[in-house]
Amino acid sequence: CVCVCVLVSRPVCVPSLGSLSGSDEARAIMQQVAALLEPINATAVLDDGATTDTDPWEPLGVPLASIQTHNDKYFYFHHTHGDTMDVYTPAMLDRAAALYAVTAFTVADMPAMLPRAQRP
């Protein structure tokens, strides 16, 4: 099994492709992927996609993408008993599903893997 990219998945209120840790070449490619998300206004690609969920992959140079939330109350619910599906509207879930589907399919369908970052 070859890991192409680690994409942290979480339903969010107003998602954008978010943060990416990886090579400059991988960032340029992911900015092109993000452009496909313009109809749902999810085109931002920021720095530092590493999270505690993806940290083990970073030393291997695997590109790490973390979906950004634009919800100031996200961490009121995150990993609590209130972290249940009923806090999300169907529109929020549809938007997050579109972001994950476009990103995962596009990256998986590329003729080559995303370029790796240099190992530290």
Side-chain angles (χ1 to χ4, degrees):
C1 177
V2 175
C3 186
V4 175
C5 177
V6 175
L7 178 62
V8 175
S9 173
R10 57 177 77 107
V12 293
C13 291
V14 185
S16 64
L17 186 53
S19 301
L20 180 79
S21 289
S23 67
D24 290 339
E25 296 88 357
R27 177 174 312 288
I29 291 168
M30 291 304 282
Q31 287 172 329
Q32 292 175 18
V33 173
L36 299 171
L37 299 165
E38 193 277 328
I40 63 168
N41 194 28
T43 58
V45 178
L46 309 171
D47 290 331
D48 194 17
T51 70
T52 55
D53 297 323
T54 62
D55 283 347
W57 296 94
E58 192 165 25
L60 302 174
V62 176
L64 309 172
S66 177
I67 304 304
Q68 293 299 311
T69 64
H70 302 289
N71 175 6
D72 58 352
K73 295 183 174 74
Y74 176 73
F75 285 102
Y76 290 2
F77 299 104
H78 185 63
H79 292 292
T80 71
H81 291 291
D83 197 356
T84 59
M85 293 304 293
D86 61 338
V87 300
Y88 303 107
T89 67
M92 291 174 190
L93 295 174
D94 288 349
R95 186 180 171 111
L99 186 144
Y100 299 130
V102 167
T103 303
F105 178 82
T106 304
V107 171
D109 197 46
M110 293 185 328
M113 292 193 321
L114 286 170
R116 306 289 185 174
Q118 294 296 323
R119 293 182 184 183

